[in-house]
Amino acid sequence: AQKVTQAQTEISVVEKEDVTLDCVYETRDTTYYLFWYKQPPSGELVFLIRRNSFDEQNEISGRYSWNFQKSTSSFNFTITASQVVDSAVYFCALNNGANNLFFGTGTRLTVIP
Amino acid sequence: DTEVTQTPKHLVMGMTNKKSLKCEQHMGHRAMYWYKQKAKKPPELMFVYSYEKLSINESVPSRFSPECPNSSLLNLHLHALQPEDSALYLCASSQDQSAGGGYNEQFFGPGTRLTVL
């Protein structure tokens, strides 16, 4: 069975602070992919990153960075120097190749100006 | 073109109405999805179409009827809905698992906000 846990329900930070969103997953598959999606108030889910289970290299894209650790089954997401436009709900998700995404419950991030 | 479009953006309907939600993509994706999302919850998978054939139905009530008329279009026909069906309905597409694309990201449309009175 697949399970994705995002223990942080809501986080508030002041603009320009760094913030890390946690994601812990469970799966018995050896091959899987992990994803992060952003859902702003408009409702559309925006794809941010995909990481496969064999690639534990961290990734940085501008102010965003991701830390994947198989040893702890975690795939955490850090936003550096947060901005008001980062305010959204962020979902971590897992795909085991079966045309299906298993979503976590999401973390609502509020960046206060 | 990496866009998934959905119409209408908002829909209000009575419990006796029949309406349809529409979704379109032109990325050549052969897997298309319907999700239902209630407030403050993650999206819940409803249906998956693979090469225009229904491959996953997550025990959705028959008052929701999906249709995939061609590889670019996905419809969701609604009939005799209940107030608890009010939600954001999201469409998504991706490469299909059979083409080795099952691990690929899904691209989502902006959703239809449905209110059932």
Side-chain angles (χ1 to χ4, degrees):
Chain A
Q2 333 294 326
K3 185 179 179 182
V4 178
T5 300
Q6 295 180 254
Q8 303 152 308
T9 305
E10 296 191 21
I11 300 176
S12 292
V13 298
V14 177
E15 199 170 21
K16 297 186 182 177
E17 286 185 345
D18 299 347
V19 58
T20 295
L21 310 182
D22 297 333
C23 173
V24 174
Y25 63 92
E26 296 176 30
T27 180
R28 293 182 179 176
D29 295 303
T30 54
T31 302
Y32 53 89
Y33 275 71
L34 296 164
F35 301 80
W36 277 95
Y37 282 87
K38 173 183 179 180
Q39 189 173 37
S42 60
E44 181 173 352
L45 279 155
V46 178
F47 164 74
L48 296 178
I49 189 172
R50 176 181 66 144
R51 172 66 66 209
N52 78 55
S53 51
F54 300 106
D55 182 1
E56 289 193 69
Q57 281 193 338
N58 291 333
E59 181 154 341
I60 298 174
S61 176
R63 296 185 297 108
Y64 296 169
S65 62
W66 291 269
N67 181 295
F68 176 31
Q69 293 195 342
K70 283 183 77 170
S71 61
T72 56
S73 296
S74 65
F75 185 42
N76 296 337
F77 173 29
T78 296
I79 301 174
T80 303
S82 59
Q83 300 176 2
V84 173
V85 293
D86 296 326
S87 295
V89 179
Y90 291 85
F91 290 99
C92 180
L94 181 149
N95 184 325
N96 63 351
N99 272 1
N100 199 352
L101 270 180
F102 298 91
F103 284 94
T105 50
T107 297
R108 179 176 300 277
L109 173 65
T110 301
V111 180
I112 303 165
Chain B
D1 183 1
T2 59
E3 189 180 42
V4 177
T5 59
Q6 288 187 245
T7 55
K9 288 188 177 181
H10 300 273
L11 179 62
V12 179
M13 60 186 291
M15 289 190 284
T16 58
N17 292 156
K18 286 186 180 181
K19 296 286 184 183
S20 296
L21 309 185
K22 298 185 182 300
C23 174
E24 188 168 6
Q25 58 89 13
H26 293 287
M27 294 177 276
H29 291 163
R30 303 309 293 272
M32 296 187 75
Y33 311 77
W34 280 115
Y35 288 88
K36 174 183 178 179
Q37 187 178 25
K38 301 284 276 185
K40 299 190 176 184
K41 297 289 187 183
E44 296 176 29
L45 184 66
M46 300 174 72
F47 303 104
V48 180
Y49 272 84
S50 172
Y51 287 85
E52 295 89 71
K53 290 190 181 349
L54 185 65
S55 62
I56 296 177
N57 176 340
E58 292 288 358
S59 302
V60 179
S62 59
R63 57 186 184 267
F64 294 92
S65 175
E67 178 195 20
C68 190
N70 61 53
S71 60
S72 300
L73 293 174
L74 185 66
N75 298 323
L76 186 63
H77 303 299
L78 314 173
H79 174 55
L81 294 192
Q82 304 297 310
E84 59 264 30
D85 296 321
S86 298
L88 178 68
Y89 288 83
L90 292 161
C91 173
S93 71
S94 74
Q95 293 185 27
D96 189 81
Q97 63 172 25
S98 61
Y103 298 106
N104 282 11
E105 60 272 22
Q106 294 181 16
F107 291 87
F108 285 81
T112 294
R113 291 195 183 273
L114 174 67
T115 302
V116 182
L117 301 176

